[in-house]
Amino acid sequence: MQKWSELYSRLKSASPSLSEQLIQFDSAESPPALAIVQGYRFIAANQAALSYFETIEQKFINATPYDFSPRIQSSGRNSIEYGQQQLREASHGNIVAFNWLHLSQQGTELPTKVTLYPFNLDGNDVVLVQFMAMDRRGKRRPQSTNGFECLPKELMSITLEDSAEAVYITDENNHILAVNKAMCRICGYSAEHMLTKTPSELNLEAMLNDDIDPNPLRNKDNWQGEVCKYRSDGSKFPAWQSCRRIYADNSVYFVNLFSDISEKKRLEAKLTQQAMYDKLTGLPNRFHLIKILNKAIDNIRQHNSLIGALMFLDLNGFKNINDSFGHATGDKVLQLVAARLETCCLDDAEIARLGGDEFTLVLPKCKNKQEIEAFSDLVLSLFDAPFEIDGQKFYLSTSIGISLFPQQSYEANQLLSMADTAMYSAKKSPNHIRFYNAAIREAAEKKLVILNDLRHAQSLNQFSLVYQKIVDLETNNTIAVEALLRWKRSNGDILDAQEFIPLLEETGSMVSVGLWAIKQACAQMTQWHGLYNDQLKITVNISTSQLEHPDFVSMLTKVLQQTQLPADKLIIEIEESALIRKPTQMSAVLGELKQLNIGIAIDDFGAGLCSLSRLGSLPIDCLKIDSGFAQRLHEPQGKELCKAMVQLAHTLNISYIAEGIETKAQKELLLKMGKGYGQGYYFGWPATAEVFASESLSLLKKA
């Protein structure tokens, strides 16, 4: 902790109140947890702070406050952005106090009251940070004796003699007056050999580094720190030593205690190794990446003509491997990916694994953006060949987001956030590579606003349903109605389901909103049964997360009971991807739904990756042919593809619904392919319940 003592002692402020605050910290009965931040990084911390975060100095220095924080605070704010905002406020000369959720090195949640004090250190602005646990009452215990003054001196002598720590006492001329057994055992000298000699005559001591004062008690009465010592055989070992000046009987004595910390240092080195590298792949982990990136940023400052790049990789399709083949297979795939990246990039980039299927590459020195693009193409090409495990081939691709330094930031965490944001944008781009830019930032900010609005949409009753008819292509009779979810935002914008369903999944609200939509649709169809045709069916889209919910079937059963809609008048539409994810669970769920007599349709069939071999084994009633095929009926190939799907439905003895029919010609072409059903603007636009009833159901009104 020598670095802490030195930097802390050089803190200066023109404010009397801040100078007084330092005095209060120094005189506190229990040292408060304190750290010094320069820019956005810790440069020093006292032992109380390191203990609070369950870490060691090597891992804490050069880290940022948000390295010990969750990504999002409980208030909903981004830790990086909010933390930087508070540090900037303090650097402007203000004392800032706020509540913050920290995470220790071991992952323990630490609700903390943080206070930031602005100071000057050798001409540079720094911030002294105080961490105070919010769950501590802070009451001072009444002062009490420790009992030692009541014990006989003979007992104290025996205790000191048998202590496990080495003890030696010197006079003011540094001659050894007394040693204990541990001193003899650790250093390998007899007591007779050491008495009356000085430590330097015995060649006992070797300071760990030049920063340590060879006479640490020159200007104070006590000191402790890490030193190096020698044994009698000349071997060197690290020790933790404490020294104290004692005045007794008009004489000065120096009491020195130390312990051999060789094993502790070996354990620390091992823990540091474990803390810096990913166990599964052996690659540097997130903490190590930040150090690598900070070093690259510092180096690039010296080369104005060069640029550095941080590439953020996410594996496309990895989740399906985990879900279908298990995590053990997924882990093997990750190891193969890591090996392939290392083989290709070892000389050009530093590789790290952040966790899950996320990897990063740091390119420390590039001549231009074109060189980075060429390297990105090389990384993409690594995924052209499949990954083979136990004879099974797995095809993956990757999406790459890239941030540049120092052009876009000097901050490692900010660069990581930028590359992460660019990566999500890359998933939607044709070549799966995106550089972070203003447009991506604006899109991310817009998404954040929409996400915040979406969290409150249900409580504000902003969701609604519109309805679109499904007709018999042969008779033009309405045989079913599809319920479609809409969201009317506070600003008046109305969004279709496909624009916000993925965001509902992100917020974890899909199951709740989906259940509301099912209830509304079933209740509406029950009402229409009473007024119009009681043979009409209602179709409702069900997301994969709803199907995977353990209580989905029971929730659906309860809805049918509450709304009194016959089960055979409800059709649920599921995505093709639901048949691939967790196939065993999906088969069981669909089997239960079939027993209840609920209809099951595969939505947007032909647009996904459905396994045809599984279709015949699942209780499917209907295929909804994706609207894209109706739009291609004028093309020979499109016509043949559509015909093949119609024939597939007939072969499986199930019905089909062709989506996206907009013209009479499209309808007639489909009818020639085989009897079925159609849906699209040609038959009617989606409309509210009132408009739909008046336009499409009024002729069916019961007498």
Side-chain angles (χ1 to χ4, degrees):
M1 303 306 297
Q2 188 70 11
K3 184 175 182 180
W4 163 257
S5 302
E6 290 181 1
L7 295 183
Y8 181 76
S9 65
R10 300 207 300 268
L11 292 177
K12 305 294 181 185
S13 175
S15 167
S17 62
L18 287 174
S19 300
E20 177 63 28
Q21 185 63 61
L22 290 179
I23 296 173
Q24 292 180 19
F25 285 149
D26 291 336
S27 60
E29 184 176 348
S30 298
L34 300 173
I36 300 173
V37 172
Q38 186 170 23
Y40 297 121
R41 288 188 284 175
F42 293 117
I43 60 172
N46 67 0
Q47 187 58 50
L50 298 179
S51 300
Y52 186 66
F53 287 103
E54 298 180 298
T55 187
I56 59 177
E57 190 174 31
Q58 295 95 312
K59 298 177 189 172
F60 199 76
I61 302 305
N62 288 325
T64 68
Y66 8 96
D67 286 328
F68 293 89
S69 307
R71 186 174 181 178
I72 302 296
Q73 289 292 306
S74 54
S75 63
R77 297 195 184 200
N78 181 287
S79 293
I80 295 178
E81 296 173 359
Y82 186 43
Q84 290 182 351
Q85 175 188 332
Q86 299 295 72
L87 287 169
R88 284 195 296 269
E89 179 71 18
S91 67
H92 292 154
N94 302 313
I95 298 176
V96 181
F98 53 94
N99 296 335
W100 189 268
L101 179 61
H102 280 297
L103 294 176
S104 77
Q105 180 74 59
Q106 308 303 320
T108 307
E109 290 193 354
L110 304 171
T112 308
K113 180 180 180 182
V114 178
T115 308
L116 308 180
Y117 301 96
F119 280 96
N120 187 278
L121 177 63
D122 301 335
N124 298 311
D125 291 332
V126 297
V127 174
L128 180 65
V129 187
Q130 180 185 11
F131 307 98
M132 184 180 297
M134 292 174 61
D135 57 347
R136 296 180 183 171
R137 299 183 182 276
K139 294 182 179 178
R140 297 183 62 178
R141 297 178 61 184
Q143 193 171 7
S144 62
T145 175
N146 58 17
F148 276 107
E149 72 278 3
C150 303
L151 298 176
K153 292 184 178 179
E154 293 81 0
L155 180 59
M156 296 302 298
S157 175
I158 293 172
T159 301
L160 199 61
E161 169 69 10
D162 292 334
S163 169
E165 278 192 301
V167 180
Y168 66 96
I169 300 172
T170 62
D171 60 19
E172 56 186 336
N173 296 316
N174 212 25
H175 290 99
I176 297 175
L177 303 177
V179 297
N180 72 348
K181 296 175 183 176
M183 176 76 174
C184 299
R185 184 183 70 252
I186 293 173
C187 293
Y189 291 105
S190 67
E192 292 80 5
H193 187 80
M194 287 186 281
L195 294 178
T196 72
K197 296 184 175 65
T198 65
S200 57
E201 288 174 340
L202 294 169
N203 195 30
L204 283 179
E205 298 179 344
M207 289 297 178
L208 185 64
N209 57 57
D210 296 335
D211 295 333
I212 297 179
D213 190 335
N215 186 8
L217 296 183
R218 191 195 318 271
N219 299 314
K220 49 189 175 182
D221 290 333
N222 56 76
W223 175 87
Q224 63 176 349
E226 186 177 327
V227 297
C228 271
K229 291 188 176 293
Y230 290 105
R231 298 184 180 90
S232 59
D233 61 4
S235 60
K236 193 176 182 181
F237 65 95
W240 185 263
Q241 179 164 327
S242 62
C243 312
R244 189 175 183 87
R245 189 200 311 265
I246 302 294
Y247 298 92
D249 299 332
N250 297 319
S251 298
V252 178
Y253 299 92
F254 297 93
V255 180
N256 303 271
L257 295 85
F258 68 86
S259 55
D260 184 348
I261 58 172
S262 301
E263 187 59 35
K264 179 184 176 185
K265 296 287 283 185
R266 280 192 290 269
L267 179 59
E268 283 182 358
K270 182 179 179 182
L271 292 175
T272 299
Q273 173 76 9
Q274 292 175 348
M276 299 296 281
Y277 289 88
D278 172 50
K279 290 182 181 179
L280 179 66
T281 63
L283 294 175
N285 62 11
R286 182 189 178 91
F287 275 99
H288 198 172
L289 167 67
I290 297 301
K291 291 181 177 293
I292 292 170
L293 196 49
N294 281 326
K295 181 180 178 182
I297 293 170
D298 290 340
N299 290 339
I300 205 75
R301 294 172 191 262
Q302 304 168 19
H303 301 84
N304 295 331
S305 61
L306 300 177
I307 58 175
L310 173 64
M311 301 171 61
F312 196 115
L313 280 66
D314 181 84
L315 305 183
N316 305 324
F318 179 74
K319 184 171 177 56
N320 289 334
I321 294 175
N322 258 352
D323 291 340
S324 302
F325 296 91
H327 289 278
T329 299
D331 287 348
K332 290 179 182 178
V333 170
L334 291 174
Q335 289 172 333
L336 292 178
V337 170
R340 203 172 282 187
L341 286 172
E342 281 192 293
T343 302
C344 169
C345 311
L346 197 59
D347 297 329
D348 303 297
E350 296 271 9
I351 311 166
R353 179 186 174 224
L354 297 189
D357 60 342
E358 295 178 338
F359 294 83
T360 58
L361 302 175
V362 178
L363 280 65
K365 295 177 182 178
C366 300
K367 296 177 182 177
N368 48 49
K369 192 173 177 180
Q370 289 72 27
E371 183 179 337
I372 299 170
E373 289 175 334
F375 190 82
S376 302
D377 290 333
L378 175 62
V379 173
L380 287 179
S381 70
L382 297 178
F383 294 85
D384 291 343
F387 297 88
E388 187 167 343
I389 298 172
D390 300 329
Q392 176 75 43
K393 292 182 178 180
F394 298 97
Y395 289 87
L396 289 173
S397 62
T398 187
S399 298
I400 304 175
I402 305 170
S403 57
L404 304 176
F405 57 89
Q407 288 87 337
Q408 292 177 328
S409 178
Y410 283 104
E411 268 299 310
N413 279 286
Q414 193 170 21
L415 286 166
L416 192 59
S417 178
M418 290 174 174
D420 188 4
T421 302
M423 181 273 295
Y424 280 104
S425 179
K427 284 182 174 291
K428 301 174 184 177
S429 68
N431 65 348
H432 292 292
I433 299 173
R434 289 296 300 272
F435 285 85
Y436 183 82
N437 55 34
I440 290 177
R441 184 190 70 245
E442 291 169 5
E445 291 172 352
K446 181 180 178 182
K447 177 184 175 182
L448 187 61
V449 171
I450 293 176
L451 278 172
N452 289 335
D453 290 348
L454 196 56
R455 295 179 194 278
H456 307 290
Q458 191 171 9
S459 62
L460 295 175
N461 298 317
Q462 293 179 342
F463 293 118
S464 62
L465 295 181
V466 293
Y467 301 87
Q468 187 176 32
K469 67 170 72 173
I470 299 172
V471 305
D472 186 319
L473 292 175
E474 197 170 39
T475 65
N476 285 333
N477 291 333
T478 301
I479 55 96
V481 181
E482 181 174 5
L484 300 166
L485 187 62
R486 295 290 184 267
W487 174 29
K488 185 175 182 179
R489 299 181 61 193
S490 302
N491 62 7
D493 290 346
I494 298 177
L495 303 185
D496 290 344
Q498 64 266 24
E499 298 180 72
F500 62 87
I501 290 295
L503 301 180
L504 277 177
E505 298 278 12
E506 276 191 45
T507 60
S509 306
M510 188 63 246
V511 173
S512 173
V513 174
L515 182 61
W516 172 88
I518 296 171
K519 285 181 181 178
Q520 290 291 111
C522 290
Q524 183 63 68
M525 185 50 70
T526 300
Q527 181 185 354
W528 283 340
H529 277 180
L531 295 173
Y532 307 109
N533 183 353
D534 58 9
Q535 295 305 305
L536 282 175
K537 297 184 178 183
I538 187 77
T539 77
V540 183
N541 290 279
I542 302 296
S543 73
T544 304
S545 61
Q546 288 176 271
L547 273 177
E548 292 177 352
H549 193 282
D551 297 325
F552 174 69
V553 176
S554 60
M555 288 191 295
L556 202 55
T557 304
K558 188 175 181 180
V559 167
L560 292 173
Q561 291 171 347
Q562 291 174 340
T563 61
Q564 298 185 352
L565 181 72
D568 65 344
K569 298 301 183 288
L570 172 64
I571 301 172
I572 65 166
E573 299 184 14
I574 63 176
E575 302 165 336
E576 287 187 65
S577 59
L579 303 181
I580 300 175
R581 283 168 51 97
K582 303 183 180 179
T584 304
Q585 180 185 349
M586 290 301 98
S587 295
V589 171
L590 295 184
E592 291 182 62
L593 294 175
K594 194 64 178 176
Q595 288 180 354
L596 294 173
N597 216 17
I598 295 172
I600 302 168
I602 303 297
D603 194 20
D604 297 331
F605 183 75
L609 300 170
C610 183
S611 170
L612 295 179
S613 63
R614 286 189 53 77
L615 277 181
S617 63
L618 293 172
I620 305 299
D621 299 295
C622 178
L623 298 180
K624 293 195 74 175
I625 300 174
D626 184 68
S627 60
F629 292 97
Q631 308 308 314
R632 294 183 58 196
L633 281 172
H634 64 283
E635 303 172 8
Q637 187 182 34
K639 185 176 179 180
E640 290 302 318
L641 284 171
C642 205
K643 185 177 181 180
M645 281 185 280
V646 170
Q647 290 174 345
L648 174 64
H650 289 163
T651 302
L652 295 174
N653 199 27
I654 59 179
S655 60
Y656 77 87
I657 300 172
E659 298 181 291
I661 299 175
E662 297 181 358
T663 66
K664 183 178 180 181
Q666 291 172 345
K667 176 208 164 185
E668 291 177 348
L669 277 172
L670 284 162
L671 185 55
K672 289 178 182 178
M673 295 177 187
K675 186 176 179 179
Y677 307 101
Q679 181 180 358
Y681 298 152
Y682 175 70
F683 305 108
W685 291 76
T688 62
E690 295 78 9
V691 174
F692 182 83
S694 64
E695 292 182 352
S696 302
L697 302 178
S698 57
L699 296 177
L700 304 175
K701 191 162 187 177
K702 293 180 179 179

